[in-house]
Amino acid sequence: MAMELQRNLSFSIQNGGFDSEFDDDGKLKRTGTWFTASAHIVTAVIGSGVLSLGWAMAQLGWVAGPIALSIFSLVTLFTSCLLTECYRSPDGTRNYTYTQIVKANLGGMKYLLCGVAQYVNLVGITIGYTITASISMAAVRRSSCFHKEGHEVGCHSSNNGYMIIFGIVEIILSQIPNFHKLSWLSLLAALMSVGYAFIAVGLSIAKVAGGKHVKTGLSGTVIGVDVTSSGKIWNTFQALGNIAFAYAFSVVIVEIQDTLKSSPPENQEMKKAVSVGVSITSLFYLSCGILGYAAFGNSAPGNILTGFGFYEPFWMVDIGNIFVVVHLVGAYQVFCQPVFSIVEDWCSNRWPESDFATKEYSIGIPMCGLYRVNQFRVIWRTLYVIFTTVIAMMLPFFNSILGLLGAFSFWPLTVYFPVEMYISQRKMPKFSAPWMVLKVLSVVCLIVTIVAAAGSIEGIIKDLKAYKPFQSIS
């Protein structure tokens, strides 16, 4: 009788029983559609990377700039579609995370390499977000100063204090043990990212409509006028890294696909969602890059909201930068939580009897209820935020850091692993036509990644020559 009941229970779950409350894996029935998945993709992709696209266009020009943006868009769309095919293993088993998909399809050393690439990227993004948030915080103060004192006044201030403020806020938020329950913060962050991106586009349109002539060109910045010949090459490479960073969202595709209903099949719906989401984002990015370049020409600032090509209306510039800060406060937590979890899980498994690593204490907080405190969690998370803040204070270079992050994440996470998993799952014969096409794509993207990383590293080295650590100024 017990065995029969268990078989009936399993059958009911696998076939959507219990009033269709459960999916085939026993979890509550997913309700997402291609439309909701498209919305998730748009909010995941549009972020601080959009602020550098005007500068990237200035380095590439009217011809290469739109072409580069379009190629990155097409490659991202293609490899994302390959990745959607790997959500389920050949036996129908679901894979819930990017690394789980890699482990199921490739296993072994490639799984470890994927983990290293992903977590290094996550740490790098939190450092980049600290830099970006501090620059935007300083820009709010400078904008008000320019409005009161005039545009000729420098209104410079140190970024370090703003980085410390940002770090303190993140230390507090990092102590929340169940951050995933604060879905409202993630929603707010997504709304802020769309908000400041639209403000940047709107201000660019207004500047172009103003009729002031700026110098642009088919090949962008001019050698001997705007840059040296070597500077042109390095900036071009770095611009590719900035574009790659703007399209870096592959690590969340699996989680988004895991929200979709089982029927129609998830891979079909996710392909539709990816096509819509990437198309909308690409049109938006082309608008940002083209309008940013049209507004500022070859002297386009590295960050369109903090480079002060816009002075008025100052309140609109302030709102845009406040949106950036609010977005990054939440986005920082989204990207650091997986880093927190992997270390804490390892320590609790390594020392299960340790009170320091596993025991939680309850503390009553007025109007908030009980708060669970773990000694290791408090110390580890605090030290992590301090580490990212200190590194950001040492290397506060917006475009170079974004370019480096984009280069490091683009090839391994956006191209290499999706291609290798698709080849493995489809059991493609070596040197067959499809196998050759995918391998050539991977190699070409690897070359682009290498030159983008080289350009970004050269930019960091050049910036370091004229920079004293912990003395960044906006």
Side-chain angles (χ1 to χ4, degrees), residues 12-47:
S12 181
I13 290 176
Q14 291 177 2
N15 290 276
F18 299 115
D19 299 324
S20 299
E21 292 181 0
F22 300 95
D23 269 328
D24 56 345
D25 58 350
K27 292 190 175 185
L28 286 174
K29 200 166 189 68
R30 297 157 176 85
T31 59
T33 64
W34 69 266
F35 181 81
T36 60
S38 300
H40 288 317
I41 290 172
V42 171
T43 53
V45 180
I46 296 177

Side-chain angles (χ1 to χ4, degrees), residues 1-11:
M1 176 67 71
M3 290 296 294
E4 183 67 25
L5 180 61
Q6 185 175 3
R7 280 196 298 269
N8 291 337
L9 175 64
S10 175
F11 178 82

Side-chain angles (χ1 to χ4, degrees), residues 236-296:
T236 298
F237 291 166
Q238 187 176 320
L240 296 176
N242 283 175
I243 296 173
F245 179 82
Y247 278 106
F249 79 106
S250 58
V251 292
V252 298
I253 288 180
V254 182
E255 284 81 356
I256 293 174
Q257 188 167 352
D258 193 46
T259 67
L260 295 176
K261 294 186 293 187
S262 300
S263 181
E266 301 95 350
N267 62 334
Q268 295 179 13
E269 291 294 278
M270 195 60 190
K271 284 181 182 178
K272 190 188 300 182
V274 168
S275 299
V276 173
V278 173
S279 297
I280 292 173
T281 304
S282 299
L283 289 173
F284 191 72
Y285 278 2
L286 280 168
S287 300
C288 289
I290 290 172
L291 288 170
Y293 186 40
F296 298 107

Side-chain angles (χ1 to χ4, degrees), residues 111 113 130 287 289 308 340 416:
Y111 165 65
L113 290 175
T130 303
S287 300
F308 286 99
F340 292 159
Y416 175 75

